[in-house]
Every structure is written in structure tokens, then in C-alpha cells.
Amino acid sequence: MAEPDFSKEIEGLTEDIATGIAALVAALQRRTMMLLTRTAIDGIRPWELPGLSGEVGTTLQPPSLDRYITRGWDMGVQHAGGDIQRATASVQRAMAIQVARELAERWAGDVAGQVMTRTRLSVMAGDIRGLLGELRGYFGGQALQRLRSIAVTESLRAYSMGFYEVAQSLKTVTHKVWVYDHMPQYPRTGHMAAAGQKVPIKRPFMVAVMVGEAPEPLMYPRDPAASPRQVLGCGCSMRLMRSVGSV
């Protein structure tokens, strides 16, 4: 039986996430810039304006990544041949959503802190115009890249979790095989070397981050138990082996 190729669907998910996150961060940037420009025009020191820090924090409320996480999960369930309706009640699915929310909240807190710190320093120096330029670069660079990385990694993690949850429940599935794929900014020679590694469905893969390093046990790509270096930006997947062939 020919092996289905889901790479285009997974790639489509990551592209949609990148586009959506870019639009979200751009909107947050515009709102924050308007807020800070208003305080400058009014001649108010931002840190002396009651509630400004909170207002910035509210403006930067963590985005809901739920739709990306659930899309990844449902896609993984579907690719493994499972029932999406039953999978929506999974405890693991709810955990994946909660983890993404916590990471987004941490991101929002860090961004709000960066905005207030940079604002204080720039206003004290009398350089509000320089501040606005600096923040444009910050939002378009570090802040955007970090949130995009969170969204992509957690959505693909949910994909693997949903895929594996179904796979291990199927009586016909006997083994799983590591399939290497990478995102250009996160190449891992250890993941490349793991390509084709075949193990029983309930046993872990043994995968190193880089060739020559000690391998770690991973039940599937982006296993929550793995070290961050194994997970961030990993684009790998796995295929299943059934008693009657490969799917």
C-alpha cells in the first residue's frame, strides 16, 4: 500500500500560522505605538500615567493559539486514521492547548516589560522618535519571531500528540518510523540521522540533536518530555507500520 504524503498539509498549516501571527503582531505594534505617541503628545511620562503599564499589558493580551493547536491536533488524528469527534474530548488535547496559552501569556508579559523599559529610557533621554523606530524593529524582529516559533512548535507538537494518541490505540499498528524534515533555521544532524529509524509503536525513538551527542528517548517528534533543543522548530514526523503493510 502506498504511503500517504501529508507533508503538504503540514506545510500549509505552518504557512497559515506564520501569516496569522505576523498580522497579529503588526496589530499589537500599531496599538502600542498609538498609545505611546499619545502620551508623548500629552507631555506625560508613560510610567507616571496611572494604569499605562496595565494598558500596555492589556493591549498585548496573549493571542489565542487555540485554533492553531486544535487544527494541528485534529490533523494528526485524521492522518493516523482516528475519529476527530472522539479526539476532541482528549485530556492530552486540552493539555496541549493549556501549554500554548501559558507560553503566550509569558510572551505577552515579556513584551510588555520590554516596551515599558525601552519607553522609560527613551523618554528620559528625550528621544521619543527614536523609541518608536526601535519598537518597530523590536516588534518586527524579536517579538514576532518568538511568537511565531511558539505557535508553529506547539501546533506541530499537538499534531504529533494527536497522531500518536490514535496510533497506539490501533490494534493493527505494530511499529512507527521516524521521518526527517527540517525548518531551514533549525537543522539538526541527529534528526537527519534518525530518518528511517523503526521501533515498536509503544517504544521510544532514540534521537540525538546533533550527530555525536547522546540520544534522547522520544515517543514522537516534539515529545513534551524532550529537551527544548530537540523540540524548537522541529519539522519531523513519523509514519506507521501495520501488520498488513505501511500507512
Side-chain angles (χ1 to χ4, degrees), residues 136-219:
R136 286 191 189 93
Y138 171 66
F139 275 104
Q142 182 181 339
L144 171 60
Q145 291 172 10
R146 184 178 169 202
L147 184 59
R148 183 167 53 203
S149 178
I150 290 172
V152 169
T153 298
E154 296 309 313
S155 297
L156 293 184
R157 190 201 302 272
Y159 173 90
S160 292
M161 292 172 69
F163 188 94
Y164 182 67
E165 183 166 289
V166 171
Q168 66 178 335
S169 70
L170 299 176
K171 294 181 180 180
T172 56
V173 174
T174 59
H175 292 76
K176 56 193 177 188
V177 180
W178 188 277
V179 178
Y180 173 72
D181 195 3
H182 77 285
M183 298 179 186
Q185 65 271 43
Y186 297 108
R188 294 174 173 88
T189 57
H191 288 204
M192 183 184 298
Q197 186 180 141
K198 175 182 173 182
V199 298
I201 188 63
K202 294 189 177 181
R203 296 289 298 274
F205 295 105
M206 296 304 296
V207 183
V209 176
M210 304 298 288
V211 170
E213 297 182 356
E216 294 181 49
L218 276 68
M219 297 305 293

Side-chain angles (χ1 to χ4, degrees), residues 28-165:
L28 292 176
Q29 172 189 309
R30 288 193 297 271
R31 170 63 181 145
T32 303
M33 303 286 259
M34 288 174 59
L35 185 65
L36 295 177
T37 301
R38 188 191 73 204
T39 64
I41 292 173
D42 293 343
I44 301 171
R45 293 180 177 181
W47 60 92
E48 292 179 351
L49 179 64
L52 178 64
S53 181
E55 191 171 347
V56 171
T58 300
T59 300
L60 296 168
Q61 276 298 311
S64 173
L65 302 183
D66 293 11
R67 65 192 181 102
Y68 297 128
I69 305 303
T70 55
R71 181 177 165 188
W73 180 279
D74 292 349
M75 186 181 291
V77 168
Q78 185 178 30
H79 288 177
D83 184 336
I84 292 180
Q85 289 188 334
R86 290 181 59 187
T88 58
S90 168
V91 173
Q92 291 290 324
R93 181 177 185 267
M95 288 174 58
I97 292 172
Q98 183 58 35
V99 167
R101 286 176 178 171
E102 291 173 358
L103 289 169
E105 288 172 1
R106 192 178 308 163
W107 172 86
D110 289 348
V111 171
Q114 284 280 349
V115 168
M116 295 309 297
T117 297
R118 295 178 185 213
T119 298
R120 182 176 187 129
L121 293 174
S122 295
V123 173
M124 288 178 68
D127 186 19
I128 191 68
R129 181 171 296 181
L131 166 68
L132 298 181
E134 182 182 358
L135 288 180
R136 286 191 189 93
Y138 171 66
F139 275 104
Q142 182 181 339
L144 171 60
Q145 291 172 10
R146 184 178 169 202
L147 184 59
R148 183 167 53 203
S149 178
I150 290 172
V152 169
T153 298
E154 296 309 313
S155 297
L156 293 184
R157 190 201 302 272
Y159 173 90
S160 292
M161 292 172 69
F163 188 94
Y164 182 67
E165 183 166 289

